Amino acid sequence: MRSSLRGAGAAAAATALVVVVAGSWFGYQQLAGPSCSGRIQLSLAAAPEIAPAVKGAADQWVADGAAVGGTCIAVNVTSAESVEVAAAVASKHGATLAGVGQASGTAVTPDVWVPDSSTWLLRLKSGGATAFAPANGASIARSPVVVAMPEPMATRIGWPDKKVTWTDLLGAVTTGKQPLRAGIVEPTQDAAGLSGLLSLTAAASATGAAGSPQAQEAMIGALRALATNRSSLRQDLLARFPRSTDPTAIANGLSAAALSEEDVIAYNSTKPPIPLAALYPEPSPMPLDYPFAVLPGIEPAKASAAKVLFEVLTTSGFKNRLAAQSLRAPDGNWGAGFKAPQGAPSPANGGASAVPPIGQGAAADLDPTAIQTATTTWSVATQSGRMLCVIDVSGSMKEPVKTANGATREQVTVAAASQGLSLFDDSWAIGLWTFSTNLSGSRDWTEVVPIRPLSSNRGAIQRGLGTVTPSRGDTGLYDTMLAAYQKVQEDWEPGKVNSVVLFTDGKNDDKNGITQKQLLDKLKQLRDPEQPVQVIIIGIGTGVSRTELKSITDVTGGGSFVTADPTKIGEIFLQAIALRPPAPR
């Protein structure tokens, strides 16, 4: 947690009395009176590293005598990890954030939120919070994302004079006799980790044509290299850097990690035996930008208070408060007392490219799809699971897909499953079934490959996918779903996500099978909270029923996804697999 690096100032919440009126802070100051009655409470949650600066600005506001119109406004500034607030906001707005999980039972959403990155706002919106439209969202601070590296190792690669690219780092992490021991804070829970992941995967994608085997191989190699030394806590990751000048300790310690500039300054302020160098790779990764987000639904008086508070947080005095916390102003410049790491660029010395100007948050121009793809791909590549893949082979799967150069629905589905298979490491256990009606005698399904570890089963699964072809039958969905659920539950394995992933392009039309009510009743009987089986159903085309599919996953847990365009099932497959049973925070 960042707060562990800051001492008591960032760990505690602070309360200050301030009074505001819509309009300029300067006009407000002139109207301030000697006393006031009544009070409106404005709550603000800020990332731990910026919370002391926000608190200090509020304290100064109070000291200057803030009262008008007989009404006081109290601002409760709380230090809160961005992932914790994001989980609470997601829960309130019905959003799903890959890798975040549920909010703690005591978590509440504030009136104003200053997370460390605008990527949290984008993820909430693209994760299903359709009504989530925070006001403002402009940046009040900045910290570039850097690659932190022990100084002896950084010196060997030419720091601080040599410019390093993400392509250089990708090669150093994935190739050579002694690749860099790179680590990362879980990018689904940490904005700096996500920024580094986006940059590294972009470099991997550039190694070949989009979607090519070379690009896919490079990306998977990078993900798995990072996953070896990943941590859910920044404090834990920082503890893996070498703590001794002994060459063996340096060789065995962490070699590199994507962190914020502020993280590196804070780490070095503790006077470690081996300081960290901050490398500013090109192209510049997405910085932490600290958006001032007024959350939807607050009353007008609070919105007015937030408007003036934002103005207070954009003054030159606040820039100096940021400098005391090792943070830059939104434009990349810094205030008095800021101690930049060696080699740090600044707009004043021609290094503006490393801190590009921003408008409504640094992520304003970032494609939400890129973030979603990165987080879901990471979740799939780094989790361990046991899965039964069930593919519809009814006659309608022969239908050509106009957006896939005439390939059939079956071919597009098999291609997506085959590509997804490459993301799973050997710790996964996977099996393959196909289904229609009367596919094996009177039975609607057939086992192509049993569920076994990929360490011995990968080739069999790949060959099995190559044999999948449409039949002349209909869609025996209910009988197959029940049998698949029972099969996965039969040999349920602890420590893994046990799941059924079923692809279909139609509704159940098996006249000789069980009814929908019988299926749902039986699934309710079988469901065991101690041994959950997650069901993912991916509906393809216009012939599926969202209601039918959702009725099943509402009972089992998991999720149902429907796309009219079968070429999108590759993306949906990743999103679906990234759904883990949510763990309480």
Side-chain angles (χ1 to χ4, degrees), residues 388 433 480-490 500 523 526-528 531-535 555-556:
L388 177 58
W433 285 13
T480 301
M481 186 73 257
L482 178 59
Y485 190 91
Q486 289 173 314
K487 184 63 179 177
V488 173
Q489 192 178 57
E490 192 177 285
V500 176
L523 288 174
L526 290 170
R527 185 178 182 183
D528 181 356
Q531 296 187 349
V533 174
Q534 184 169 261
V535 173
V555 172
T556 60

Side-chain angles (χ1 to χ4, degrees), residues 368-460:
T369 303
I371 297 176
Q372 187 173 55
T373 299
T375 54
T376 54
T377 302
W378 171 265
S379 294
V380 171
T382 57
Q383 68 177 313
S384 181
R386 179 174 171 271
M387 180 180 75
L388 177 58
C389 179
V390 185
I391 298 179
D392 189 344
V393 291
S394 59
S396 56
M397 291 291 281
K398 298 175 184 177
E399 185 173 321
V401 177
K402 292 180 181 179
T403 53
N405 296 319
T408 66
R409 288 178 176 175
E410 197 76 80
Q411 290 170 326
V412 171
T413 301
V414 169
S418 181
Q419 186 173 24
L421 179 65
S422 64
L423 285 175
F424 304 127
D425 66 23
D426 286 348
S427 68
W428 277 76
I430 296 181
L432 176 64
W433 285 13
T434 55
F435 78 102
S436 179
T437 50
N438 303 319
L439 198 59
S440 181
S442 61
R443 200 174 67 186
D444 292 342
W445 69 94
T446 185
E447 182 180 76
V448 181
V449 182
I451 303 174
R452 290 176 184 157
L454 281 180
S455 56
S456 61
N457 211 31
R458 190 179 297 274

Side-chain angles (χ1 to χ4, degrees), residues 15 23 92 102 116 131 141 162 228 254 273 277 288 332 340 381 403 441 467 479 512 554-555 558:
T15 303
K92 181 177 181 178
Q102 295 178 331
D116 54 9
K162 180 183 176 183
T228 302
L254 192 65
L288 303 188
T403 53
T467 68
D479 282 357
N512 298 317
D554 281 350
V555 172

Side-chain angles (χ1 to χ4, degrees), residues 192-546:
L194 175 59
S195 177
L197 179 67
L198 287 168
S199 292
L200 204 61
T201 54
S205 298
T207 60
S212 68
Q214 296 92 335
Q216 181 85 347
E217 183 179 347
M219 181 183 69
I220 294 169
L223 294 179
R224 291 184 179 157
L226 291 174
T228 302
N229 291 295
R230 72 185 187 274
S231 176
S232 59
L233 297 176
R234 188 177 294 101
Q235 180 184 13
D236 176 63
L237 188 76
L238 287 165
R240 299 182 191 181
F241 282 111
R243 306 293 295 181
S244 167
T245 57
D246 178 69
T248 302
I250 295 174
N252 293 332
L254 192 65
S255 303
L259 296 168
S260 72
E261 179 183 71
E262 180 268 340
D263 284 325
V264 173
I265 296 172
Y267 180 86
N268 287 341
S269 71
T270 66
K271 306 298 181 184
I274 303 289
L276 293 179
L279 278 64
Y280 296 78
E282 296 179 342
S284 302
M286 180 64 57
L288 303 188
D289 68 313
Y290 303 92
F292 185 90
V294 182
L295 299 190
I298 71 170
E299 57 196 74
K302 289 186 177 183
S304 295
K307 181 178 180 181
V308 182
L309 179 58
F310 172 73
E311 292 189 24
V312 172
L313 301 180
T314 56
T315 62
S316 58
F318 187 65
K319 181 190 293 188
N320 294 335
R321 294 187 186 279
L322 292 173
Q325 301 303 127
S326 303
L327 294 169
R328 300 176 183 230
D331 62 1
N333 284 295
W334 49 69
F338 183 86
K339 297 179 180 178
Q342 187 175 2
S346 73
N349 64 19
S353 62
V355 280
I358 55 177
Q360 293 296 100
D365 298 324
L366 189 63
D367 181 5
T369 303
I371 297 176
Q372 187 173 55
T373 299
T375 54
T376 54
T377 302
W378 171 265
S379 294
V380 171
T382 57
Q383 68 177 313
S384 181
R386 179 174 171 271
M387 180 180 75
L388 177 58
C389 179
V390 185
I391 298 179
D392 189 344
V393 291
S394 59
S396 56
M397 291 291 281
K398 298 175 184 177
E399 185 173 321
V401 177
K402 292 180 181 179
T403 53
N405 296 319
T408 66
R409 288 178 176 175
E410 197 76 80
Q411 290 170 326
V412 171
T413 301
V414 169
S418 181
Q419 186 173 24
L421 179 65
S422 64
L423 285 175
F424 304 127
D425 66 23
D426 286 348
S427 68
W428 277 76
I430 296 181
L432 176 64
W433 285 13
T434 55
F435 78 102
S436 179
T437 50
N438 303 319
L439 198 59
S440 181
S442 61
R443 200 174 67 186
D444 292 342
W445 69 94
T446 185
E447 182 180 76
V448 181
V449 182
I451 303 174
R452 290 176 184 157
L454 281 180
S455 56
S456 61
N457 211 31
R458 190 179 297 274
I461 292 288
Q462 199 67 63
R463 290 190 296 273
L465 286 169
T467 68
V468 174
T469 54
S471 69
R472 297 180 180 179
D474 294 320
T475 307
L477 176 63
Y478 296 159
D479 282 357
T480 301
M481 186 73 257
L482 178 59
Y485 190 91
Q486 289 173 314
K487 184 63 179 177
V488 173
Q489 192 178 57
E490 192 177 285
D491 298 310
W492 190 91
E493 190 172 344
K496 293 189 175 182
V497 179
N498 292 256
S499 61
V500 176
V501 178
L502 184 145
F503 298 86
T504 185
D505 74 338
K507 306 180 187 73
N508 181 75
D509 52 9
D510 180 8
K511 298 179 177 60
N512 298 317
I514 60 175
T515 65
Q516 183 183 42
K517 184 179 185 306
Q518 289 172 324
L519 170 64
L520 299 181
D521 287 346
K522 187 61 177 176
L523 288 174
K524 288 175 184 176
Q525 293 172 15
L526 290 170
R527 185 178 182 183
D528 181 356
E530 298 299 318
Q531 296 187 349
V533 174
Q534 184 169 261
V535 173
I536 303 294
I537 306 178
I538 300 175
I540 306 162
T542 58
V544 295
S545 167
R546 290 177 183 270

